[in-house]
Amino acid sequence: MDRTTGMRKVASQFSMADDDEFDLLQLLDKPKLNIERQRSFDERSLSELSINIRELDGFDNLYSPWGMRSGFDSPSSSVRNSFGPHPMVAEAWDALRRSLVYYRGQPVGTIAAVDTSEEVLNYDQIFVRDFVPSALGFLMNGETEIVKNFLLKTLLLQGWKKRIDHFTLGEGVMPASFKVLHDPLRKVDTIIADFGESAIGRVAPIDSGFWWIILLRAYTKSTGDLSLAETPECQKGMRLILALCLSEGFDTFPTLLCADGCSMIDRRMGIYGHPIEIQALFFMALRCALAMLKHDAEGKEFIERIVKRLHALSYHMRTYFWLDFQQLNVIYRYKTEELGFDFMPTHGGYFIGNVSPARMDFRWFALGNCVAILSSLATPEQSIAIMDLIEARWEELIGEMPLKIAYPAIEGHEWRIVTGCDPKNTRWSYHNGGSWPVLMWLLTAACIKTGRPQIARRAIELAETRLLKDGWPEYYDGRRGRFIGKQARKFQTWSIAGYLVAKMMLEDPSQLIMISLEEDKAMKPLIKRSSSW
């Protein structure tokens, strides 16, 4: 995350009065559907850790807004107390609850960090991407209203007219973050949203909208409550996001063309083009939206566009972004030298960081590869290969604190050119090869889905030796993640939530259904590989 000073006064600031959100406040009071559900065969196998991704095809079809209801049991009180004796769990829950932010007496999210020893900057805001692990933790613990409030509040912010430096942003753009200001004298709560005007390079976040759709599906799968996703407001919110990312332009690829700073790596790090993180989130959001859009006149048009894009996107990513030892031998004979050759083991593979005209970025990016597994952008064979790579390159990717956000670090002359001599992204620090505890939940989910929970268990045990003692840092520095990040905030909320979600998923693997999509066997490539490659 990038934390910058001085939020400028822009048009995306106002005080929410009663008239501004009367419809959403009514939505908050709607009762949940009373659905009698039983666990399916697939969910029983998940809870028993008999995870085999080849045998779980189609369990996402259990959910359809116009058909069968979810078969997933909502978290019960027994789940909340099912943890092992490790004292970190209780400490983590206490710290997570201290980060809650309230708007008109209702919890609407968690701030980025509760670190009173450092300058606040914008760590006192609710970031959309940061709140996702917190939201999953609350869902798993049966505290669903917090997540519902957050989804509705950000949906309302999406509808703002976003004008920055005399230029109006697209209607569907979700905020990177928002802040709640309390005026005790006037007894008024004010929300200030950031749509990129305070970010490095003034870049609007692309991933916020994707995370919102993914979280909406997670809420629906966890609660069995279809009423929220089926509201006209949520249906319109999804369509607005899809209208932006499915629009046709000059690009000849089905991937999304992105600028630096539009995702979790929100500083200049050479990910401009078609970064794996955005493509994997794009794919997952499209599949989640496909399951939740209504088959009405407006929804059908988007459903048709989504299906076409998914076919092209899956083929493109699996063909051009995938690297294993066999493909490496082909690339090795190219007339140029590329990064990452010594990193590739004989058994294993991964989706490389970026493929753009005349440029391939061979760096490993953790979030993109884990989301590729969870969304089934990766085939079953590719998912296994990614896990093989993590095991084979444990020291490089896990080290002493899971998990490297990117590997390897860029340094020297390349670092000066790519980052602009960014002092925060020096080698093996922050986004440039730093270790981020929040990524544990994604790693754990990917491990469970591929039937390799022992990998996640080993990584979590490593984190438990230090995280609490170190004060829940934002990230760690060093080639092996040995040092607390030089500019890392303590009591970083998503470090806390990432640990909790990882622990809860290992305790009850059936929770994976909230965040996992199984392979769609009908998704066959409709195009042939270009002869120019």
Side-chain angles (χ1 to χ4, degrees), residues 28-277:
L28 287 173
D29 296 331
K30 280 189 177 181
K32 293 182 182 179
L33 294 178
N34 185 15
I35 303 171
E36 184 178 350
R37 292 163 289 153
Q38 293 185 2
R39 298 167 67 203
S40 68
F41 171 80
D42 287 340
E43 287 151 4
R44 288 198 300 272
S45 63
L46 275 169
S47 64
E48 292 158 8
L49 258 181
S50 301
I51 309 295
N52 186 323
I53 57 178
R54 293 176 178 83
E55 297 173 354
L56 291 178
D57 295 315
F59 79 77
D60 194 54
N61 292 331
L62 289 170
Y63 167 73
S64 171
W66 52 89
M68 187 181 297
R69 267 38 178 172
S70 168
F72 180 66
D73 289 329
S74 299
S76 63
S77 58
S78 62
V79 173
R80 302 176 198 179
N81 299 314
S82 62
F83 302 107
H86 204 287
M88 275 181 63
V89 172
E91 293 279 356
W93 273 114
D94 288 343
L96 182 60
R97 297 194 189 287
R98 287 197 298 271
S99 70
L100 281 169
V101 176
Y102 291 81
Y103 178 78
R104 295 186 178 179
Q106 295 292 323
V108 292
T110 52
I111 60 174
V114 189
D115 186 356
T116 57
S117 65
E118 296 283 347
E119 187 181 357
V120 172
L121 299 180
N122 55 358
Y123 282 78
D124 60 347
Q125 297 185 34
I126 303 168
F127 283 79
V128 173
R129 77 174 68 95
D130 292 33
F131 181 67
V132 170
S134 297
L136 294 177
F138 287 127
L139 287 174
M140 292 177 185
N141 204 39
E143 301 176 60
T144 61
E145 287 302 307
I146 301 172
V147 182
K148 187 174 184 179
N149 293 344
F150 171 85
L151 288 167
L152 291 172
K153 194 58 58 185
T154 47
L155 185 63
L156 185 65
L157 298 176
Q158 182 196 34
W160 286 13
K161 185 175 181 180
K162 300 167 279 287
R163 189 173 176 84
I164 301 171
D165 291 342
H166 307 286
F167 183 74
T168 302
L169 277 68
E171 187 181 1
V173 174
M174 281 287 186
S177 64
F178 63 94
K179 182 177 182 177
V180 178
L181 299 178
H182 304 285
D183 187 340
L185 297 178
R186 297 172 54 205
K187 296 182 179 180
V188 172
D189 288 349
T190 305
I191 284 186
I192 302 175
D194 175 17
F195 290 92
E197 62 267 26
S198 296
I200 291 290
R202 303 293 184 256
V203 179
I206 294 179
D207 62 340
S208 292
F210 297 154
W211 279 122
W212 187 88
I213 292 175
I214 293 167
L215 185 58
L216 178 62
R217 176 191 174 272
Y219 172 87
T220 303
K221 296 293 287 187
S222 175
T223 63
D225 176 16
L226 308 181
S227 61
L228 181 61
E230 290 178 338
T231 60
E233 293 81 3
C234 283
Q235 292 287 311
K236 180 182 178 182
M238 283 189 285
R239 292 196 302 268
L240 288 175
I241 295 169
L242 295 170
L244 284 176
C245 62
L246 292 175
S247 60
E248 297 175 346
F250 289 97
D251 204 343
T252 58
F253 302 140
T255 44
L256 282 181
L257 184 62
C258 307
D260 259 326
C262 65
S263 61
M264 179 180 175
I265 298 178
D266 56 6
R267 295 171 76 92
R268 184 174 165 187
M269 267 289 289
I271 65 166
Y272 59 88
H274 306 86
I276 179 61
E277 176 180 336

